[in-house]
Amino acid sequence: ELIKTGEDVVAEHEEELRSFAVSEQEYAAWRAGVDARKKPEPIVRSVKMTDMKWVNPEVMRDLLNVKPGKPFDMEALHKNIDRVYARGDFASVSYDLINDGQGHADVVVSPNEKDGRDFVRFGLGLYSDFQGDSSFNAVVSLRRAWLNRLDAEWRTDLQVGQDNLLYSEWYQPATLESAFFVAPYALFLDQFRDVYLQDFAKLRYQYGQVGGGLELGSVFGRWGEVRVGVTRSKIRTQSDTIFIIPDENYEHGGYTLRTIYDQLDNTHFPHDGSSVRLNFFKSSQTMGADTDYERYDFRALKAFTWSRNTVLAMVRAGGAQDTELPFYDDFTLGGIFNLSAYPKGYFLGERMVYGSLLTYRRFSDMPKGLGRGIYGGLQLEMARMGKVNEAFPPMDGAATSVNAYLAADTVLGPFYLMAAYGDTDQSAIYMALGVSF
């Protein structure tokens, strides 16, 4: 906003300022004279690090990338300090440049570590459509950093409520300077899922999964990462209502591919940047699975902002590669930010295409300590589901939903009040806390 104010003032006084203009040649000569009077940057003689309790100094040296014998590059060092600070291990990172007066200098870096290497995050998921469908989940995430000299991390996510989840992963870099890592993990999931029949009767079944896997991956700076791996687990389904969902045990196993590119500037209310995610799973009987099938899920986001107005474009696509998916691995549409006018899980099928245009405007700030901004917005959603089971509601053509909402970026997560209207007079009203698009 300050930059825009400056541009507007310059535009108002353009004719007055024009008298100060000079030719490109005159400006280049003046610039060269200024540069000639600058002292050359000193040659780095040594790089020293103050004592740290958790972080390996060799990792810090590699990340800061200051090389003895090379000219000191302040701009590059500042960028690398920002990159180090973004890791979340430090309260601050500063440095001193000690010149010897003869063209050489020592760089002394002073990282100020946070009080511990344990990071805990609490979350809350509260959802209701005011039509009898509601859920509550509490989430806690623990991350322990620097468990060995290679910066190993152990992360555990625990969720309790309607959906119970335990996910624990050990993240082990290969070497100090390598972007490659190995990540074994364990998973426990216990949740209730709703399915709608053609006559609009709703059935519910319980889905449970216990297993784990091993992934190998590579980090691409601050852009994202790619992982490939193997997984093996046991699945159990148990019907709570109608017996169309069998009470059975299934063997689940295969190969995974996950790629993430994320340059959004905010997780819940982005104003700039983009994000792309691709998940691919190949179920294989050689890995102990009951059936062979291939499943992919793609999602992309792009944010555009001018002044206080933001437009967020989103596309999703999912399907099976010339195979049939088991019912528990089908795609679903319905629920908030997923064809919002329809109940959660209303559409179920093996192929899915979804598009959304979401616009919002920040029109107020929240009281300090409670959150950031308050937003108002509109959303248009369109989707098509393919290969739908005959027992479930068919999707003829594209289904749509038009949504209006108020939102707040609170310390407990995003809060939404939404009204949605769709085809065949479908409508819904939502209140959600801790639920993202």
Side-chain angles (χ1 to χ4, degrees), residues 98-377:
I98 303 175
N99 280 283
D100 65 358
Q102 300 179 1
H104 294 81
D106 298 315
V107 180
V108 180
V109 182
S110 303
N112 179 20
E113 294 174 289
K114 291 183 177 179
D115 292 336
R117 54 179 173 175
D118 299 338
F119 304 89
V120 181
R121 179 179 63 86
F122 297 95
L124 188 66
L126 174 64
Y127 157 83
S128 175
D129 64 359
F130 295 96
Q131 298 182 28
D133 192 4
S134 62
S135 66
F136 172 84
N137 294 292
V139 181
V140 59
S141 179
L142 169 66
R143 181 172 71 92
R144 302 203 69 197
W146 295 102
L147 295 176
N148 57 35
R149 63 182 300 274
L150 297 181
D151 187 17
E153 294 184 4
W154 179 33
R155 173 180 171 177
T156 299
D157 297 331
L158 175 65
Q159 177 176 298
V160 294
Q162 179 170 314
D163 297 330
N164 299 308
L165 167 71
L166 176 63
Y167 178 86
S168 188
E169 177 186 278
W170 181 278
Y171 179 92
Q172 179 64 65
T175 65
L176 282 178
E177 300 181 1
S178 174
F180 294 97
F181 62 88
V182 59
Y185 64 90
L187 170 70
F188 169 80
L189 178 63
D190 181 29
Q191 61 182 186
F192 289 96
R193 296 182 176 182
D194 293 331
V195 178
Y196 288 78
L197 302 181
Q198 283 201 28
D199 59 3
F200 304 105
K202 182 174 77 171
L203 63 92
R204 170 167 288 186
Y205 73 96
Q206 189 173 6
Y207 174 89
Q209 183 176 0
V210 179
L214 176 68
E215 293 181 321
L216 305 176
S218 177
V219 177
F220 297 102
R222 295 171 62 184
W223 298 92
E225 68 175 24
V226 59
R227 297 183 177 210
V228 294
V230 293
T231 183
R232 183 78 171 86
S233 61
K234 292 183 178 295
I235 292 174
R236 176 167 176 77
T237 60
Q238 184 174 358
S239 176
D240 276 13
T241 50
I242 304 173
F243 294 107
I244 190 173
I245 301 296
D247 295 350
E248 288 189 14
N249 294 318
Y250 302 91
E251 298 295 333
H252 183 264
Y255 308 96
T256 60
L257 168 66
R258 293 195 292 165
T259 62
I260 300 174
Y261 163 86
D262 191 346
Q263 291 295 290
L264 295 175
D265 61 350
N266 185 287
T267 302
H268 304 304
F269 297 93
H271 297 88
D272 184 47
S274 56
S275 171
V276 178
R277 294 172 182 258
L278 173 65
N279 293 328
F280 178 79
F281 173 65
K282 179 178 177 60
S283 178
S284 173
Q285 292 181 336
T286 61
M287 287 293 297
D290 291 333
T291 59
D292 292 333
Y293 65 90
E294 297 178 359
R295 184 185 191 274
Y296 68 88
D297 187 359
F298 172 84
R299 168 179 147 163
L301 298 171
K302 176 64 179 176
F304 308 87
T305 296
W306 64 99
S307 185
R308 290 191 169 206
N309 303 297
T310 298
V311 172
L312 186 65
M314 175 167 54
V315 294
R316 290 171 48 209
Q321 293 289 98
D322 302 322
T323 55
E324 292 187 1
L325 299 181
F327 73 92
Y328 55 78
D329 221 359
D330 277 345
F331 297 93
T332 63
L333 289 170
I336 189 169
F337 295 118
N338 192 36
L339 218 55
S340 306
Y342 293 85
K344 184 178 180 181
Y346 186 79
F347 295 109
L348 188 71
E350 296 185 15
R351 296 197 190 103
M352 177 268 297
V353 178
Y354 169 93
S356 164
L357 276 178
L358 186 149
T359 179
Y360 48 87
R361 177 181 176 87
R362 179 169 176 164
F363 58 82
S364 180
D365 295 328
M366 295 193 68
K368 191 174 182 179
L370 296 181
R372 298 179 181 176
I374 299 176
Y375 301 83

